Amino acid sequence: CKKYSQGPCGILFKKWLACVDCNKNDETACDDIIQFLDTCLKEHQEYYEKKSMYNEDKNDDEGSVLIWKDFIAELESGQDPKVTYEKFPSDKIPEMQVRLKSNVGIVQFHSSLQSNNKEKHLLLAYVKDVGTGAVLAAASVDDLLQSNGEEDENEHKCILRFHMNDKSRDVVACALYDELSDTQKFEVTVYCRVERLPI
């Protein structure tokens, strides 16, 4: 299970497991999710054949970018009506820090947020260079570094590290959230924040 809970199909795999657990007496309740999962696993078969179920690497920037690049492009294409886009709530805007000497930055995303009176939980985070459109880093929530919030120890933050090049001026930090519910619909919300880098 751990092997499939990570990488480009990890979100769908976890959604399918949750659906199966909630619908033990209804064999067809999770059909829509299993179709998405099956398609995803076929598209990323090479990744999962090479993936060790014991791999504990966290935030492997180069590897995670390659894994997620196609998924993010498809997500941002706007063709999936189940994906909506919103601004981060003002109290949940991710914090970004950069070190220009080393061209390394981090973004701290909130593990959950309230939107439209619904609690949503982080599934995926990524950072892109606005100028080039290149994905600088990406990871599922399980692959992000975890920390407790400073003001509230019950609030967890998820940290994504990214590398930028000398010419990067603006980066966009995006996060994919899904509400925890008993519904079997795969609907998510993408939140983004653009940050101008200091020169």
Side-chain angles (χ1 to χ4, degrees), residues 91-145:
D91 62 333
K92 298 293 183 176
I93 294 173
E95 300 169 34
M96 188 178 298
Q97 299 173 13
V98 294
R99 292 194 176 172
L100 295 177
K101 285 185 179 181
S102 59
N103 284 335
V104 173
I106 64 163
V107 183
Q108 294 183 25
F109 295 91
H110 294 269
S111 61
S112 63
L113 54 80
Q114 290 281 337
S115 179
N116 300 326
N117 296 320
K118 296 178 183 176
E119 185 172 14
K120 299 183 178 192
H121 295 268
L122 181 65
L123 301 173
L124 164 71
Y126 62 96
V127 176
K128 291 178 65 174
D129 184 308
V130 173
T132 65
V135 177
L136 302 177
S140 70
V141 68
D142 291 333
D143 295 327
L144 295 168
L145 299 172

Side-chain angles (χ1 to χ4, degrees), residues 180-196:
L180 285 181
S181 68
D182 294 335
T183 65
Q184 286 76 48
K185 294 181 182 176
F186 186 67
E187 295 180 7
V188 296
T189 305
V190 178
Y191 298 88
C192 291
R193 172 194 178 203
V194 176
E195 177 84 10
R196 177 157 294 260

Side-chain angles (χ1 to χ4, degrees), residues 21-46:
D21 286 344
C22 291
N23 297 285
K24 293 181 181 179
N25 296 328
D26 185 356
E27 294 179 13
T28 62
C30 306
D31 285 354
D32 61 334
I33 297 172
I34 198 68
Q35 288 174 347
F36 285 117
L37 179 59
D38 184 52
T39 301
C40 185
L41 290 172
K42 285 177 183 172
E43 288 176 4
H44 301 285
Q45 182 176 358
E46 186 176 321

Side-chain angles (χ1 to χ4, degrees), residues 36-60:
F36 285 117
L37 179 59
D38 184 52
T39 301
C40 185
L41 290 172
K42 285 177 183 172
E43 288 176 4
H44 301 285
Q45 182 176 358
E46 186 176 321
Y47 168 79
Y48 286 102
E49 286 174 353
K50 293 179 181 177
K51 177 88 172 149
S52 166
M53 70 178 105
Y54 303 106
N55 187 356
E56 295 294 332
D57 291 343
K58 297 273 188 192
N59 252 356
D60 172 16

Side-chain angles (χ1 to χ4, degrees), residues 82-87 115-116 120 175-179 187-191:
K82 297 175 183 169
V83 177
T84 58
Y85 295 85
E86 295 181 18
K87 291 182 180 180
S115 179
N116 300 326
K120 299 183 178 192
L176 183 81
Y177 286 84
D178 187 18
E179 64 186 87
E187 295 180 7
V188 296
T189 305
V190 178
Y191 298 88

